[in-house]
């Protein structure tokens, strides 16, 4: 992983820890959710919980080593307690968030496995898969799967969108989000789908969907469609 990915949240966490040490009784000094974001990012990259906790242990050692180098070998008990309290709070928030996120992932895998075994047809399976996606990812509240039929992609399943808006919907290869995903054979991110001029899906505009992420679906070497997820709350 690149250095920018590895340290992405740590500077913000360090800022929050410093605020917490300086003003332990003020609400403005809270950690502001940074440990939660950090833990979920680490889970996404395949880190285990012990590694996340080890990062905080290393951070604590680096802070104290820097203090000893710049200030001297002595530090007040009050300041050590403030530092430990801030870092322990961050560890607790990270641990809780990591555990909850992992539980959602496992629950989604169970749901998809049950759907694969019990769904009577492709549409039923895809619908269950999308429901599991929405239940797993906090900011995702819409999803769709379009499968290729010649030069067009036809919507086969959706969640979070009215049926009358999505019935018989198609996109040509190279047009719209799904069409461009299939044409390029690569993921595509759109920051604000409701305002993006390249988006052709009327239901994305109707539902004021913001962030949209699409990925190609493969069967062997062949691209057979695209899966799209969207959020009405996050860019």
């Amino acid at each position: 992983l690149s250095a920018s990915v590895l340290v992405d949240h740590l500077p913000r966490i360090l800022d929050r820890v410093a605020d917490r040490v300086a003003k332990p009784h003020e609400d403005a000094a809270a950690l502001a959710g940074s440990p939660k974001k950090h833990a979920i990012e680490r889970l996404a990259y395949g880190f285990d919980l012990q590694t996340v906790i080890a990062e905080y242990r290393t951070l604590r050692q680096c802070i104290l080593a820097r203090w000893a180098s710049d200030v001297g070998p002595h530090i007040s008990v009050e300041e050590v307690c403030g530092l430990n309290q801030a870092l322990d709070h961050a560890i607790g928030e990270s641990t809780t968030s990591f555990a909850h996120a992992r539980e959602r992932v496992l629950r989604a895998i169970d749901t998809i496995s049950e759907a694969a075994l019990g769904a009577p047809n492709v549409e039923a399976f895809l619908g269950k898969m999308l429901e599991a996606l929405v239940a797993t990812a906090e900011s995702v509240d819409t999803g769709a799967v379009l499968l290729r039929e010649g030069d067009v992609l036809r919507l086969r399943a959706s969640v979070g969108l009215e049926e009358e808006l999505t019935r018989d919907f198609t996109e040509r290869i190279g047009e719209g989000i799904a069409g461009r995903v299939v044409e390029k054979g690569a993921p595509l991110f759109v920051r604000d789908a409701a305002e993006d001029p390249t988006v052709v899906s009327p239901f994305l505009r109707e539902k004021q969907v913001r962030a949209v992420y699409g990925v190609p679906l493969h069967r062997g070497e062949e691209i057979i469609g695209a899966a799209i997820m969207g959020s009405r709350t996050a860019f």
Side-chain angles (χ1 to χ4, degrees):
L1 297 177
S2 66
S4 61
V5 170
L6 286 173
V7 303
D8 186 31
H9 295 97
L10 292 181
R12 288 198 293 272
I13 290 174
L14 191 55
D15 285 340
R16 299 294 184 268
V17 168
D19 289 343
R20 189 73 181 261
V21 171
K23 304 171 185 177
H25 304 298
E26 292 186 17
D27 291 339
L31 294 174
S34 294
K36 177 181 179 180
K37 297 174 184 176
H38 176 70
I40 293 175
E41 283 287 329
R42 290 299 189 252
L43 176 62
Y45 287 121
F47 289 79
D48 59 24
L49 183 56
Q50 287 183 330
T51 305
V52 174
I53 295 173
E55 285 188 288
Y56 286 108
R57 182 171 63 246
T58 302
L59 181 60
R60 191 193 314 261
Q61 292 168 347
C62 289
I63 291 171
L64 293 175
R66 182 63 181 267
W67 177 279
S69 173
D70 289 6
V71 180
H74 303 293
I75 184 172
S76 72
V77 172
E78 182 181 2
E79 286 175 319
V80 172
C81 288
L83 173 63
N84 287 340
Q85 184 181 35
L87 288 174
D88 289 345
H89 182 85
I91 291 171
E93 189 174 323
S94 289
T95 301
T96 301
S97 301
F98 194 99
H100 287 171
R102 188 171 183 274
E103 181 183 352
R104 287 197 303 271
V105 170
L106 293 175
R107 192 161 56 240
I109 292 172
D110 285 342
T111 300
I112 293 172
S113 298
E114 291 174 4
L117 293 173
N121 53 51
V122 172
E123 282 78 6
F125 167 68
L126 294 176
K128 289 291 184 182
M129 184 178 70
L130 291 174
E131 290 172 6
L133 169 66
V134 171
T136 303
E138 288 183 349
S139 60
V140 174
D141 42 39
T142 65
V145 173
L146 298 91
L147 298 183
R148 188 169 190 168
E149 296 179 3
D151 293 331
V152 301
L153 296 166
R154 185 174 301 279
L155 187 72
R156 299 292 293 272
S158 66
V159 64
L161 302 165
E162 281 81 358
E163 183 179 349
E164 61 269 18
L165 291 174
T166 58
R167 187 184 298 115
D168 299 326
F169 177 79
T170 61
E171 280 186 352
R172 298 191 65 82
I173 306 297
E175 299 178 356
I177 296 175
R180 285 182 288 160
V181 167
V182 171
E183 180 184 49
K184 296 179 181 298
L188 175 67
F189 170 70
V190 176
R191 186 177 186 274
D192 191 355
E195 301 296 331
D196 194 301
T198 64
V199 174
V200 299
S201 305
F203 46 84
L204 293 180
R205 300 189 186 281
E206 177 73 20
K207 300 296 288 186
Q208 289 296 300
V209 175
R210 293 177 174 176
V212 172
Y213 190 67
V215 295
L217 300 176
H218 295 266
R219 182 173 58 197
E221 297 298 320
E222 179 187 11
I223 299 176
I224 63 170
I228 310 296
M229 63 193 80
S231 175
R232 291 195 292 269
T233 59
F235 285 104

